[in-house]
Amino acid sequence: VLGMHRSGISVLARGLQAFGVVIGEKLLDSDDWNPKGYFEHADIAGLNDTLLGLVGKRWDSLALPPPETIESLFTPYQEKALGLLERDFSESALCGIKDPRASRLLPFWQSVFGRAGMDDCYVIALRNPISVARSLSARNGFMPEKSYQLWLSHMLAAIRDTVGKPRIVVDYDALMADPIVQLDRI
């Protein structure tokens, strides 16, 4: 599940889990901002933070290296990623990963999926950037301009890096209005 923070990716991951997609058992804890949970694999989120840190970035950095640089920089971490997939998803016919950082690290993960022999497909969460900016302002104190730039970079990366792959875009407002219809589309 790809998309920007505060775009409904947790709702999508929870919906997919309800339909039988295995998302792992070691998930990030809920908090005041996501009281029902993030439905985000804690070890994968931690690895993604490490990968971003290798290039001096965080989840809210406005610029990242080009995709080909990301893949070459993180080659030593592929074994760790493969180990996580093997440990937590090897018994699953259908599994999913949700982490907004993955939108910006997708070339790395696609190389890992390829090495693992996994067929990857994508659900991309789309939420109005004004709504995302309001949520990030409340949660993180971000100025709207930064939120809009983050939204754009996450969405451009998600679209660019899934060209030629099975993918579907799900609108947040449509998901909230009729979740069953949107999950059936997926």
Side-chain angles (χ1 to χ4, degrees):
V1 179
L2 302 175
M4 177 55 190
H5 300 258
R6 314 305 300 157
S7 289
I9 57 178
S10 296
V11 173
L12 275 171
R14 173 62 184 110
L16 292 172
Q17 182 188 46
F19 277 100
V21 175
V22 174
I23 62 170
E25 293 182 16
K26 186 179 176 188
L27 303 177
L28 292 178
D29 293 329
S30 61
D31 62 18
D32 290 342
W33 295 104
N34 271 23
K36 293 183 180 179
Y38 286 89
F39 300 93
E40 198 166 304
H41 193 287
D43 292 337
I44 290 173
L47 177 58
N48 285 339
D49 279 334
T50 298
L51 296 174
L52 290 171
L54 288 172
V55 292
K57 304 295 181 187
R58 298 170 7 114
W59 73 269
D60 61 342
S61 297
L62 294 177
L64 286 178
E68 60 275 5
T69 306
I70 291 171
E71 188 173 343
S72 67
L73 284 174
F74 306 144
T75 301
Y77 288 86
Q78 287 184 343
E79 292 303 320
K80 180 170 180 139
L82 284 166
L84 290 172
L85 295 179
E86 174 68 25
R87 182 190 76 198
D88 293 348
F89 302 110
S90 65
E91 302 294 319
S92 308
L94 186 60
C95 63
I97 296 171
K98 174 264 180 186
D99 182 3
R101 298 161 199 82
S103 298
R104 303 176 90 190
L105 296 168
L106 201 50
F108 168 80
W109 282 104
Q110 288 172 329
S111 69
V112 172
F113 298 148
R115 285 188 58 193
M118 300 174 100
D119 294 323
D120 52 328
C121 56
Y122 302 92
V123 178
I124 301 172
L126 175 65
R127 186 177 186 191
N128 185 318
I130 295 170
S131 299
V132 171
R134 287 180 184 144
S135 184
L136 288 171
S137 176
R139 186 183 79 174
N140 301 93
F142 289 173
M143 297 299 295
E145 294 81 4
K146 179 174 182 167
S147 297
Y148 298 144
Q149 288 177 334
L150 285 169
W151 179 90
L152 185 60
S153 70
H154 278 73
M155 296 308 296
L156 285 175
I159 298 298
R160 175 196 66 211
D161 295 335
T162 59
V163 168
K165 296 282 190 175
R167 66 182 177 188
I168 188 167
V169 176
V170 178
D171 178 77
Y172 175 82
D173 293 323
L175 178 66
M176 298 313 291
D178 199 342
I180 299 300
V181 168
Q182 295 307 310
L183 291 169
D184 282 345
R185 281 183 55 232
I186 295 169

